[in-house]
Amino acid sequence: MENKVLATVNGAQITEKDLEEAIMRFPNDRRGYLNTDNGKKQLLEEMIAFELIYNYAKESGFENDESYIGNLETAKKEILTQTAISKLMSEVNVKDSEVEDYYKVNKDKFVNPESVVARHILVETKEKANDVLKEINEGMSFEEAAKKYSSCPSKAQGGNLGQFTRGQMVPEFEEAAFSLGINVISEPVKTQFGYHLIKVERKTEASPKSYEQVKNTIKNNLLQQRQSYKYNELNKQLKEKYTVEYEK
């Protein structure tokens, strides 16, 4: 595929490939605009300006400026150090068989937690909660009562809170929700927010996660652990090889 030249600045070419590579260095939320005609035009002008200033800087002798020389040495040190670290980390690997063995030994750690799907009605007083409960028992649907009486924003969805696991709700609410039977409406439950009537519509018991669900997570964790160990071991060796003096 032809790599079209978009501009030439003092003999240096800026090509479509250069422009595309420059776009890829931006965060995802900027790339959408930069891939438009206007965005590419704007970025090309910025790249041209960069080349122009680069030529000006060379012509003006800024390569001999002390601040430039200092910054250059700092950049070289950082790049060389990162190159060494990247090379070191690339030597670390984790085999699929090791991941599978880890999963088998630690299967109990990989669990889909118990969850419930519930609705609730939130009111200010226990008396009001009992009055609403009475209306439901006399025939009003829970969803209709939530829309009519609840002070929670979930009232618009008939009190629907969706699916949640333990630890996501305040303790009093959680204890009641996870102890209720399906489609059983609770007595008023007091929390810091007021009084709740709770109706659980579905319960899902805790279940083990499959190997396919967790293998990438396990592999990444093992890789990070081994990379950290290798880095720390090298650091210890280098402290023995090179002089390190701590100022008191």
Side-chain angles (χ1 to χ4, degrees), residues 15-128:
T15 66
E16 284 186 336
K17 184 178 179 182
D18 295 327
L19 188 65
E20 289 169 5
E21 290 176 350
I23 290 172
M24 292 305 296
R25 289 194 288 271
F26 282 84
N28 286 331
D29 58 351
R30 288 287 311 281
R31 291 179 196 168
Y33 170 71
L34 291 173
N35 274 308
T36 65
D37 289 342
N38 285 337
K40 288 180 179 179
K41 183 178 179 181
Q42 179 181 325
L43 183 56
L44 177 61
E45 288 302 318
E46 290 177 7
M47 293 173 73
I48 291 171
F50 184 90
E51 285 294 328
L52 290 170
I53 295 171
Y54 170 71
N55 279 274
Y56 164 74
K58 288 188 69 176
E59 187 179 271
S60 300
F62 288 148
E63 288 175 299
N64 300 316
D65 187 272
E66 289 184 6
S67 63
Y68 168 74
I69 294 171
N71 289 334
L72 180 61
E73 288 305 311
T74 299
K76 285 169 65 178
K77 183 177 180 179
E78 290 177 354
I79 293 170
L80 188 58
T81 301
Q82 286 302 322
T83 301
I85 292 173
S86 296
K87 175 66 175 174
L88 186 73
M89 295 301 102
S90 69
E91 296 171 358
V92 181
N93 61 78
V94 177
K95 298 178 182 177
D96 288 344
S97 59
E98 294 174 313
V99 176
E100 194 166 357
D101 288 342
Y102 185 91
Y103 172 74
K104 290 176 181 177
V105 173
N106 299 277
K107 202 169 183 178
D108 59 323
K109 295 180 181 178
F110 303 105
V111 177
N112 294 307
E114 177 187 11
S115 65
V116 298
V117 174
R119 296 179 185 269
H120 84 137
I121 298 169
L122 176 63
V123 293
E124 291 184 359
T125 67
K126 185 176 182 179
E127 291 74 22
K128 182 63 177 177

Side-chain angles (χ1 to χ4, degrees), residues 199-211:
K199 178 186 177 184
V200 172
E201 297 186 330
R202 188 171 76 245
K203 283 189 172 184
T204 304
E205 298 298 323
S207 61
K209 292 183 178 179
S210 70
Y211 173 68

Side-chain angles (χ1 to χ4, degrees), residues 164-181:
F164 56 89
T165 58
R166 291 186 184 274
Q168 292 185 272
M169 300 294 181
V170 293
E172 303 91 342
F173 189 99
E174 176 184 292
E175 182 179 352
F178 279 90
S179 63
L180 277 173

